[in-house]
Amino acid sequence: RWLTCKSLPPGALERIADTIADRLRVPWFSGAVKINVSLVPPLVLLPVFLHVAALHFLLGLIILTSLPVVLLWYYYLTHRRKERTLFFLSLGLFSLGYMYYVFLREVVPRGYVEYSQVVALTCGLILMLAALSRAKKDPGYLPIPANNEKPSHQGLPNKSVRGSSSGLHGISGAASSRAVNGEAKGYCRMSAEQPEGVKKDWCTKCQLVRPARAGHCRLCGRCVRRLDHHCVWINSCVGEHNHQAFILALSFFMLTSVYGITLTLHTICRGRTPFVALFYCPGAYSDYSSALSFTCVWYCAIVTAGMGYILLIQLLNISYNVTEREARLALRDNTGRRLLGGLVIDTGQYNRGLLCNWGHFLSLGSSPPQRSAEDIV
């Protein structure tokens, strides 16, 4: 009916796509393993696009310009449908592996890269993957009540529990004299974490009372302690338990990527500084090997610029002790101040100065959360 342009029942194409995805399996010793369809496109399309872009300067300009647009469109599509996808994680990991492969195959044999530099680049890549593995672990999910039983909250004061179908909680007031969630009493911790008047609230979706600064992720379907945001690049939330590892992974990526770009440009554009060589390298398309290396350099530069922006926003938010979620809520409710040209939104709720804010961040998850009397009730 679809091929003959006849009308289809509602949801027919979606059911067909789901069936095909379910049947797409790889034989294995313990039984056929199901393959997530979103893993496949980066493995096939990225090498093809980069090799085609290396054929001519104009092809490279068109492909490298269209890639960010396609990625933003796919992100908007999945985000609007509230879908989790492994596409971005697969793209990120495969990009790292393929860029490393091109570096070893096309750049190192030219003889301008020393053995110690290859070791340093490899160590940076390993450290980044180790931090990424840590960031993929539990971000601080709140335990789901057993058997989906709805915990009783009738004994809680009316002002401390607020029903919210969106899982959002209100924040107001000045500094409190105690820490929240039983966190370790680090430098300026007590004054930086929970001001007086910040209330715990009730999540109608998870059916639990969650502590201050916790939030419900609509993609994961769970409440997370000190929820910052859901990162599609790691296919997980960034919260209290993995925020430090997330920042560490971004930092290692930036250092490793910039170092690899510098080594490659020094090899294929001799006698020019990396910044000048990135925009003016006359011999880049003299042979296919140089063209492919130069194309990969530009691909890395685009990705690095995007990740650098994410890292900058994260560092600024940490300096003002605000999460991405809190910044979005402040913009929505018009309760925050735009600072540094709008790069950071200061909610004024938890900001206790640069040193106190960073001391609070560095001590996140330093001790297991303790249950308060309200949580037990």
Side-chain angles (χ1 to χ4, degrees):
R1 295 179 65 88
W2 178 64
L3 291 175
T4 55
C5 299
K6 295 181 180 179
S7 60
L8 293 174
L13 292 180
E14 288 77 3
R15 291 195 298 271
I16 294 174
D18 292 340
T19 303
I20 295 175
D22 182 68
R23 298 297 187 270
L24 187 61
R25 298 172 183 263
V26 174
W28 198 247
F29 299 103
S30 58
V33 179
K34 184 178 178 181
I35 299 178
N36 193 309
V37 181
S38 60
L39 289 172
V40 180
L43 308 182
V44 178
L45 297 179
L46 181 63
V48 172
F49 283 158
L50 291 179
H51 280 275
V52 171
L55 295 176
H56 194 273
F57 169 75
L58 292 179
L59 287 175
L61 183 63
I62 294 173
I63 290 177
L64 293 177
T65 303
S66 60
L67 277 179
V69 177
V70 174
L71 289 180
L72 289 174
W73 170 80
Y74 185 72
Y75 169 76
Y76 170 76
L77 186 65
T78 55
H79 188 73
R80 185 182 61 178
R81 295 181 178 180
K82 302 180 183 179
E83 296 177 355
R84 295 189 67 179
T85 175
L86 293 174
F87 176 84
F88 295 97
L89 178 62
S90 173
L91 177 63
L93 293 177
F94 184 68
S95 296
L96 289 173
Y98 192 71
M99 295 303 104
Y100 187 68
Y101 167 77
V102 171
F103 179 79
L104 294 180
R105 180 180 176 85
E106 306 293 345
V107 179
V108 174
R110 294 172 180 259
Y112 297 108
V113 179
E114 299 179 0
Y115 176 76
S116 59
Q117 294 174 322
V118 177
V119 172
L121 185 69
T122 305
C123 290
L125 185 62
I126 294 174
L127 290 174
M128 193 276 297
L129 291 176
L132 181 63
S133 176
R134 174 62 187 86
K136 280 285 296 174
K137 295 183 179 179
D138 179 17
Y141 292 123
L142 291 174
I144 299 178
N147 301 325
N148 291 328
E149 293 180 359
K150 183 175 179 179
S152 173
H153 58 283
Q154 295 177 353
L156 296 178
N158 293 333
K159 294 183 179 180
S160 65
V161 177
R162 296 175 56 194
S164 173
S165 59
S166 61
L168 305 178
H169 65 277
I171 347 185
S172 62
S176 173
S177 60
R178 60 182 181 87
V180 240
N181 305 334
E183 294 176 345
K185 297 181 179 179
Y187 180 66
C188 292
R189 166 62 59 85
M190 291 184 290
S191 62
E193 176 60 19
Q194 181 179 359
E196 183 179 319
V198 175
K199 306 301 182 183
K200 298 184 179 184
D201 67 328
W202 174 257
C203 178
T204 58
K205 296 181 180 179
C206 294
Q207 298 293 290
L208 53 81
V209 178
R210 61 191 181 195
R213 308 194 77 175
H216 184 89
C217 176
R218 64 177 187 172
L219 298 179
C220 296
R222 297 283 298 276
C223 283
V224 181
R225 293 182 180 275
R226 197 183 178 276
L227 175 63
D228 189 85
H229 69 288
H230 181 94
C231 181
V232 295
W233 293 105
I234 64 174
N235 193 34
S236 177
C237 290
V238 176
E240 182 178 280
H241 291 174
N242 67 343
H243 202 170
Q244 296 172 351
F246 179 73
I247 296 297
L248 202 59
L250 281 177
S251 302
F252 278 131
F253 172 80
M254 291 294 299
L255 294 175
T256 305
S257 180
V258 171
Y259 188 57
I261 289 174
T262 302
L263 292 178
T264 304
L265 289 176
H266 276 162
T267 300
I268 62 178
C269 300
R270 303 292 296 173
R272 288 182 172 83
T273 61
F275 183 79
V276 174
L278 189 62
F279 296 95
Y280 181 71
C281 185
Y285 287 87
S286 59
D287 58 274
Y288 189 76
S289 175
S290 299
L292 179 61
S293 301
F294 189 72
T295 301
C296 290
V297 161
W298 259 105
Y299 174 73
C300 289
I302 294 173
V303 175
T304 303
M307 295 300 171
Y309 176 77
I310 295 176
L311 179 60
L312 174 63
I313 297 300
Q314 285 289 312
L315 296 179
L316 290 175
N317 286 344
I318 294 171
S319 300
Y320 286 89
N321 199 4
V322 62
T323 64
E324 279 292 310
R325 174 178 175 272
E326 292 166 350
R328 289 196 298 267
L329 294 179
L331 284 178
R332 186 197 67 181
D333 300 333
N334 197 25
T335 57
R337 293 187 303 141
R338 292 178 178 269
L339 302 176
L340 304 178
L343 289 177
V344 63
I345 306 299
D346 182 17
T347 62
Q349 308 287 338
Y350 306 97
N351 186 6
R352 298 297 177 267
L354 182 65
L355 293 180
C356 289
N357 295 338
W358 273 96
H360 163 63
F361 173 76
L362 294 176
S363 58
L364 284 177
S366 56
S367 66
Q370 300 174 357
R371 300 180 65 185
S372 65
E374 292 179 348
D375 294 333
I376 295 175
V377 172

